[in-house]
Amino acid sequence: MADSTNLVTVTDDNFKEQIEDYDGLSMVDFWAAWCGPCRIIAPFVSELADDFAGRVRVGKLDVDANMSTSMRFGVRSIPTVLFFKEGEHVDTVIGAVPKAQLAQKIEEHL
């Protein structure tokens, strides 16, 4: 499945601009190419980027290529999905969870 055009690639270099300076709710999927559970939730993350387009910024951050941000937020297990509101970390979901659980977290913070 192709990634959504609504997904933002988040890196150590652009995290502040894309997430912390964003005016609204952001969801960032911390993942790695070798991670099986990350591949399980990847389609859900893409679908949510489309489902909530214009209301929520949805990004993906490769933990292998962006260790600084991963360490900063204490990401030790992947997939980890962090939620930010007005740039502040407000919630965390760890593991391969159903799409509905991620959608519920989004609705909770909108």
Side-chain angles (χ1 to χ4, degrees):
M1 171 180 215
D3 280 340
S4 165
T5 56
N6 292 308
L7 275 176
V8 175
T9 299
V10 182
T11 65
D12 286 344
D13 293 335
N14 74 4
F15 189 85
K16 180 177 183 344
E17 172 193 339
Q18 291 294 333
I19 304 302
E20 293 177 310
D21 292 345
Y22 183 68
D23 185 25
L25 182 64
S26 302
M27 177 179 107
V28 183
D29 175 20
F30 286 71
W31 70 284
W34 50 264
C35 167
C38 297
R39 288 194 296 274
I40 291 170
I41 73 161
F44 306 156
V45 172
S46 290
E47 290 167 16
L48 290 167
D50 291 336
D51 294 350
F52 289 93
R55 297 194 299 154
V56 178
R57 175 166 288 173
V58 178
K60 292 180 69 77
L61 183 140
D62 181 338
V63 296
D64 289 334
N66 300 283
M67 289 189 211
S68 176
T69 303
S70 302
M71 288 174 33
R72 180 173 159 214
F73 290 100
V75 174
R76 292 183 183 90
S77 300
I78 52 173
T80 291
V81 179
L82 300 183
F83 295 85
F84 296 84
K85 188 147 191 178
E86 313 303 332
E88 296 295 319
H89 178 213
V90 293
D91 215 336
T92 302
V93 173
I94 299 171
V97 298
K99 177 183 174 185
Q101 187 173 338
L102 294 173
Q104 179 183 358
K105 286 290 184 184
I106 290 171
E107 293 288 357
E108 207 175 288
H109 294 292
L110 274 177

